[in-house]
Amino acid sequence: MSQTFVVTGTDTGVGKTVFSAALVQALDAHYWKPVQSGLEEETDSELVARLAGAEPVRILPEAWKLKTPVSPHLAAQIDGVEIDPLALVPPQVERPLVIEGAGGLLVPLTRRVTYADIFARWQLPTILCARTALGTINHTLLSLEAMRVRKIPILGVVFIGDEVRDSQAIISELGKVRVLGRLPKLNRLDTETLRQAFSAHFDLNDFGVEEV
Ligand SMILES: Nc1ncnc2c1ncn2[C@@H]1O[C@H](COP(=O)(O)OP(=O)(O)OP(=O)(O)O)[C@@H](O)[C@H]1O
Ligand SMILES: C[C@H](N)[C@H](N)CCCCCC(=O)O
Ligand SMILES: [Mg+2]
C-alpha cells in the first residue's frame, strides 16, 4: 500500500496547503482535507487541485465543510453540526495520500478533542510545517514537544519562507528533528514554480520514493 503523510503546522497560515500541493504534485498523490472551515474563499482542496494540477479524482472530499473561517470546533457549532472525531479515518487509496490538518497542532475539532489527538490515533508519518520568521523557534519546539508527548510519528520539519539559517539550525539541534527542506516564498505561485521549488529544495527519498 502507498504511503500516507499528515501535514500539520505550527500555526494557521504557515503554508501547509501550498507545501501539500507541492508534495501531492511530486508524488502524484491524493489529497484529503478532512475538515475545511471557511468556504467564502478558495478552499484548501481547490488550491491544491489548482497548484498541483491534480485531476478531481485525486482530491478526496472533505468530511466536514464548514462555512466560517474559524477554529473547526466553533465553525461546526455555528453550522449547527458536531464533528465526530471517530469518523476521521484515513481512506485506503492506491496512490500516496497527503492529509492536511487545520491550523496548528492543537486546534480543537470539538470542545474536548484536538487534531493532535487524531494524529496520535492515526500513527502516520507527520510533517510539521513552520515559518522561518522570528518567533518560529519557540512555536516549532513547542509543537515538537506536543507531538512527542503524544507519540505522534514525526517525519520532519518543513520550513516555509526565506532562509534564516541559524533559526533552522537551532530548531534541528534542540528539536532533535530532521529538516526535510525549505520551501521559499515564491513571487509567482503556480504549478511550474512550485514543481521547480520542490525539486530544488527537497529530496523525494525522504518521502519514501527512490529518486531515479
Ligand atoms: N511558498 C509560498 N510562496 C508564496 N506564497 C505562499 C507560500 N506558502 C504559502 N503562501 C501563501 O501564504 C498564505 C497561507 O498559505 P496556506 O494557505 O498554505 O497556509 P495554511 O497553513 O495551509 O493555512 P490554514 O491553516 O488556513 O490551512 C496563502 O496566501 C498562500 O498563498
Ligand atoms: C480558518 C483557517 N483558515 C483554518 N482553516 C482554521 C484555523 C484555526 C485556528 C485556531 C486557533 O489556533 O486559534
Ligand atoms: Mg491550509
Side-chain angles (χ1 to χ4, degrees):
M1 191 195 73
S2 291
Q3 185 55 58
T4 298
F5 299 97
V6 172
V7 176
T8 187
T10 57
D11 193 2
T12 184
V14 296
K16 297 187 299 294
T17 302
V18 172
F19 172 74
S20 295
L23 189 57
V24 163
Q25 184 182 82
L27 299 180
D28 197 27
H30 285 285
Y31 171 80
W32 186 39
K33 175 84 173 186
V35 179
Q36 170 68 41
S37 61
L39 301 178
E40 287 291 300
E41 298 177 7
E42 188 176 35
T43 66
D44 284 7
S45 294
E46 290 163 346
L47 180 58
V48 168
R50 177 167 64 84
L51 282 183
E55 61 279 19
V57 71
R58 287 206 273 143
I59 308 298
L60 305 182
E62 300 89 340
W64 275 273
K65 293 181 77 170
L66 306 166
K67 282 195 295 289
T68 318
V70 293
S71 180
H73 79 283
L74 180 59
Q77 183 181 318
I78 292 167
D79 285 3
V81 300
E82 181 155 352
I83 294 168
D84 173 9
L86 294 177
L88 296 177
V89 176
Q92 300 293 317
V93 286
E94 287 309 306
R95 296 168 186 259
L97 171 62
V98 175
I99 305 175
E100 179 184 348
L105 201 66
L106 295 184
V107 161
L109 295 170
T110 72
R111 303 199 80 83
R112 289 174 303 283
V113 176
T114 70
Y115 246 128
D117 301 316
I118 308 299
F119 299 157
R121 171 159 57 87
W122 288 352
Q123 283 299 299
L124 292 167
T126 304
I127 297 162
L128 179 63
C129 291
R131 298 184 177 96
T132 55
L134 192 63
T136 194
I137 298 172
N138 172 56
H139 295 156
T140 310
L141 295 180
L142 281 170
S143 297
L144 290 168
E145 278 199 16
M147 294 172 84
R148 290 198 166 108
V149 77
R150 291 170 177 81
K151 299 182 174 42
I152 295 169
I154 301 170
L155 186 67
V157 169
V158 164
F159 288 110
I160 296 154
D162 298 333
E163 184 176 33
V164 182
R165 195 180 293 263
D166 191 72
S167 291
Q168 295 167 216
I170 195 78
I171 286 168
S172 180
E173 293 159 27
L174 283 180
K176 296 182 177 54
V177 68
R178 181 165 50 158
V179 176
L180 296 167
R182 178 180 62 84
L183 191 60
K185 281 287 181 180
L186 301 172
N187 295 324
R188 198 179 80 252
L189 187 53
D190 61 34
T191 304
E192 199 41 44
T193 59
L194 199 54
R195 184 202 315 278
Q196 288 168 7
F198 185 89
S199 174
H201 293 272
F202 293 89
D203 179 347
L204 273 179
N205 289 300
D206 288 336
F207 303 95
V209 176
E210 294 304 314
E211 283 219 270
V212 290

